[in-house]
Amino acid sequence: MKILIINGPNLNLLGQRKPEVYGQYTLKELNAFVREHFNKIELDFFQSNHEGEIIDSIHNAMENFDGIVINPGALTHYSYSLRDAIEACALPVIEVHLSNVAARESFRKISVISDVCSGTVSGFGAYGYVLAVQGLINQLKRTKQE
Ligand code: DQA
């Protein structure tokens, strides 16, 4: 099983960007933390500050991966092209946020991708990525059995 974890704009700044909101881990540490929970699963990590590159990575994932976990950063709240890419993608996609976006500014309460994702995890910090991968694995196993 191969899962792609995508992080969007400004998540390369983890560790220095609002650690009280997004946690102490750098992106490298966050990726290592997620990886150490899954020794039997192939995980690949991609981060970009560019919407088009993220969309390309979703298109390319269709050939090479079984599912995607994505934290699109602020693209979550307004990117219809990201939404269309997720909708067009044949793979299950899980949305993840470090912070509890439902408890923050009103613009963050809107996600234009939630309803085209298989599920959303929000507010559990780095552990949310582990939960998202676990949920995705469970879903992939269930659909294989059907
Ligand atoms: C975020 C929440 C977004 O609103 C914000 O723009 C981010 C990070 C989160 O992980 O909590 O960049 O997706």
Side-chain angles (χ1 to χ4, degrees), residues 1 3 5 34 38 41 43 69 94 121 127-140:
M1 203 177 277
I3 292 173
I5 300 185
V34 178
F38 301 98
I41 305 289
L43 294 176
V69 168
I94 312 285
V121 179
Y127 195 62
Y129 287 74
V130 175
L131 295 173
V133 173
Q134 264 162 2
L136 181 54
I137 293 169
N138 187 263
Q139 187 185 355
L140 287 166

Side-chain angles (χ1 to χ4, degrees), residues 9-11 17 22 71-74 76-77 96-101 104 107-108 129:
N10 300 307
L11 292 162
R17 175 189 178 207
Y22 298 119
N71 181 349
T76 307
H77 313 303
V96 62
H97 300 285
L98 291 153
S99 63
N100 180 5
V101 283
R104 298 185 61 199
F107 76 90
R108 291 189 210 275
Y129 287 74

Side-chain angles (χ1 to χ4, degrees), residues 94-118:
I94 312 285
E95 173 185 3
V96 62
H97 300 285
L98 291 153
S99 63
N100 180 5
V101 283
R104 298 185 61 199
E105 302 97 314
S106 51
F107 76 90
R108 291 189 210 275
K109 295 184 205 241
I110 295 161
S111 168
V112 300
I113 66 158
S114 288
D115 64 314
V116 291
C117 288
S118 301

